[in-house]
Amino acid sequence: MEHSTEVFVGIDVAKARNAVAVADGERGGEVRYLGELAATPEAMRRMVQRLASRHQQLHFCYEAGPTGYGLYRQITSMGYPCTVIAPSLIPKRAGDRVKTNRRDAIELAKLLRAGELTAVWVPDEAHEAIRDLIRARTAAVEILRVHRQQVSALLLKHGTSYPGKKTWGARHLKWLQEQRFDHPAHQIALQEMVDAVRVAKERVARLEHAIEEFLPQWELEPVVRALQALRGVDLIVAITFVTEIGDMRRFDNPRQLMAYIGLVPSERSTGDTVRRGGITKAGNTRMRQLLVESAWSYRYAPKVGARKLYLLEKTTPAVREIAWKAQSRLSARYRALTAKGKKSTVVCTAVARELVGFMWAAAREAQPA
């Protein structure tokens, strides 16, 4: 290990033990497997120091996963570059059916040396904390939806359905309490399901209150406020967009952001033949769903409501101009595509793609240096 001044270190991280491999810097250099180490900060610190004592330049990498970014922060705090890799974008050979920690670590080291790995954006600790809070709220909303569906399914099984239009309001809850079954076990089951809905709803409310509490303390709070100036973008959509996308300055143009979210058409072309299909659906699924939902609001004519006017007054003139330009263009875009006979789902996806461009512009305008 004395002959190479530059090495590339691949780490296959796990809960208990991390597998480590080293590739020499020169092309076709030796690749060595160092073995498995305890997945503790102290063990990893000793490993980095041991390699640093033998080599002048170190480059580390590991796959993004449930272990988080603690190892990344530890290595970078020691003064060495570390890359967190997107697992889905790691090149794989066809027909390779053997997967072990040793092989994964060696492959990471070799691909890092070749420059064939795609890095993910690593948030700072404050950004990661806000993102975890947003994802906890998303999980709570999904649980609430499941509990509500269980109540509706139980009533439908017994031939009963709510006659009103708006469900889960005060009238609907009162109607649920008035339902009676022949067997007391059914009555208990219904009451338990209704109570589960109430508890899940209270949990969502607590998480939303926590989001509003911590938002003013976050450095990207001006970006979240600026995005809310756009039609169809409320607090949850705006803060989810910022937490999931991260630093907007890493996208040189809005087309890169559209492709990152997966709202651009897929393509399979060869020679003179050009074939384009549906959207790629790459990137964050929840973010893409929220944007398509927001695009539905552009089926109405451009208008600034009272609540949106209050939010516009808190932004800069440049952001207000972007928001009005977005309303004018996207509403016209929605009407034009609808007049051509396009399906509403296709129209909303196209509008959502352009909405991302305006969100990119508003975020770049408001993001602090």
Side-chain angles (χ1 to χ4, degrees), residues 65 131 197 222 235 253 336:
R131 187 172 68 179
V197 171
L235 174 62
N253 55 69

Side-chain angles (χ1 to χ4, degrees), residues 10 14 18 22 50 81 98 100 112 117 120 123 128 140 164 168 198 231 258 283 299 301 308 310 315 318 340 367:
N18 296 336
V22 175
R50 185 170 65 253
V98 179
T100 64
L112 179 64
L117 296 176
V120 301
E128 187 178 13
W168 300 109
R198 175 184 56 79
R231 186 178 201 173
M258 296 172 190
R299 65 186 184 274
K308 191 63 72 174
Y310 173 75
T315 61
K340 291 181 179 180
Q367 185 165 6

